[in-house]
Each structure stands twice: as structure tokens, then as C-alpha cells.
Amino acid sequence: ARMVIDNYRPHIPIDPTWPMVKLGNQVEMIGGGTPSKERSDFWQDGEIKWISSKHIDQDGKISGFELITNVALKNSSTRIVPVGSTIIITRVSVGKYAFADKEYAINQDLTGIISKDSSSLLPEFLQILAPYIASIVEKNAQGVGVRGVTRSSLSKISIPLPELPIQKKIVAEVDEDKNFLESNKMIILRMEHRIQDTLSRVWEKNDPIPLEV
């Protein structure tokens, strides 16, 4: 079960008959910034979740955040990406991506991308394309020390855009995979509890019994 979880990566077999379109024609792009650390009123008693590339792990999950104030949001270049957005790291830790499970303010190393028209590009399908987009960003990143791509370059990336019924079918298949992964997580949890219960009985009785794994 752990091997299934550790090795799973969503994969889309791209059909060569699908049209390729420019990302910038299909999405709105949101940039960000870092509120001044010298302004205590930007950070003290903050209530808005703010993330940078360090808060995004290799599995595309947001693993942490800092908190900023409304004053910081109004007086700096950071902006909020809405729930359901796809986030691409376009500077420094290029090649990584994440999905916004909540609203987050972002820094200058991140770019939020949001479908302009869900009848043309499903937000869920855009999320599935995130590893593909991030890999192209990583390949084309430039710079010495600080590598990255401009949002202009990001907008020119070509993405496959099948018809909406095909997008829905692919999204449904990926959702099934996710359900399967969740089942595997439950198996791991149940087996760990069973092992712990068995070990507890062994120590209580001081009488070794076989473990069923």
C-alpha cells in the first residue's frame, strides 16, 4: 500500500489529435510579492495565509504558511489566489507546483493560474496539467543563482486542450485513482493500529503471539 502511494503520479496519455493552445489564452495569471519584514503591522496578529516556494513540497501539497495582515495585503504586491487555483513556482524552486485548497496570498516566486472559461478548460483538468506545465518551466528556466521564467514566457507554453467531454472523463479517472489511494491510506492506518494492539497485548501478557500483517 505504501509503495502504491509513494509511486503514484497522475499521467495523461496526450493524444496527438488534441489541439495545442497557448496557456495565456486560457488562464488568468496572478503574481505575488513579499510584504516588508520590517513592518511589524504587516505580520503581527496576521490572519491571511501567505505562502512562498518553501511552503510547497515535492508532492504538490502546501505544507505550511505564514500569516500576514490586511494592512500588508493592501500595502504590498502580494495577492490572493482563490480556492481551486493551480500554483506554479516560476522562480527559484522551479519545477514544483501546488493546488490551492484554501485562499492564499502568494510571494513573487509563485504564479497562480486560473481558468478563464470553465466551459473551455476545466479547473480540475488544469490541475492535472500542472506537472506538465511545471516540467516545461523547469526546462526553460534561466538565470545564474536565481533561476526562473517570466510570466510572459509562462503564457506562451502550449498545453493540450481536448474537448470538454474528454477533459471530464480524464478528471473522473484521476478522481478514481485518488479514491484508490485513499483506500490504501486507510489500509495502512488499520494495519498500523492492528500491529500496535497486538504489541500491546504481547507486553501486557508477556506471552509472545504471532503478528498478523
Side-chain angles (χ1 to χ4, degrees), residues 22-212:
K22 299 298 183 185
L23 181 64
N25 293 336
Q26 300 296 322
V27 304
E28 174 190 356
M29 296 188 180
I30 298 177
T34 300
S36 173
K37 296 286 187 177
E38 296 179 359
R39 292 277 302 267
S40 61
D41 59 332
F42 282 2
W43 299 90
Q44 188 172 354
D45 299 323
E47 56 187 29
I48 298 169
K49 295 178 176 65
W50 176 88
I51 60 172
S52 63
S53 58
K54 72 178 182 181
H55 298 115
I56 296 176
D57 66 22
Q58 295 294 336
D59 295 323
K61 296 179 180 178
I62 297 173
S63 56
F65 54 83
E66 297 178 57
L67 294 172
I68 62 172
T69 63
N70 276 298
V71 175
L73 184 63
K74 293 176 181 178
N75 294 278
S76 72
S77 56
T78 188
R79 292 177 64 192
I80 289 178
V81 296
V83 175
S85 304
T86 297
I87 301 171
I88 303 293
I89 297 182
T90 47
R91 187 172 173 268
V92 185
S93 300
V94 289
K96 292 165 63 179
Y97 58 90
F99 313 126
D101 56 333
K102 299 180 178 67
E103 286 189 346
Y104 292 98
I106 59 175
N107 87 334
Q108 64 275 9
D109 298 336
L110 312 181
T111 300
I113 55 176
I114 307 160
S115 174
K116 292 178 180 177
D117 182 2
S118 59
S119 66
S120 174
L121 173 61
L122 288 174
E124 298 85 355
F125 187 72
L126 179 59
Q127 290 181 357
I128 294 171
L129 289 176
Y132 170 80
I133 297 169
S135 68
I136 296 176
V137 168
E138 183 175 26
K139 181 179 179 181
N140 293 302
Q142 298 180 355
V144 178
V146 177
R147 297 175 64 240
V149 299
T150 63
R151 292 194 180 93
S152 175
S153 297
L154 181 65
S155 69
K156 294 174 183 176
I157 291 177
S158 294
I159 60 169
L161 189 66
E163 295 180 355
L164 203 62
I166 296 176
Q167 292 183 41
K168 290 180 178 178
K169 181 174 183 292
I170 292 172
V171 169
E173 289 174 350
V174 171
D175 284 343
E176 285 183 10
D177 289 346
K178 290 179 180 178
N179 290 334
F180 179 66
L181 292 177
E182 288 302 316
S183 296
N184 276 270
K185 291 177 182 178
M186 291 301 298
I187 290 172
I188 291 171
L189 188 62
R190 289 173 62 184
M191 295 306 295
E192 286 177 342
H193 286 166
R194 183 180 297 180
I195 290 170
Q196 289 302 318
D197 289 343
T198 303
L199 289 174
S200 295
R201 290 198 302 272
V202 169
W203 286 111
E204 288 174 3
K205 296 179 179 180
N206 196 26
D207 182 18
I209 59 176
L211 300 182
E212 295 180 4

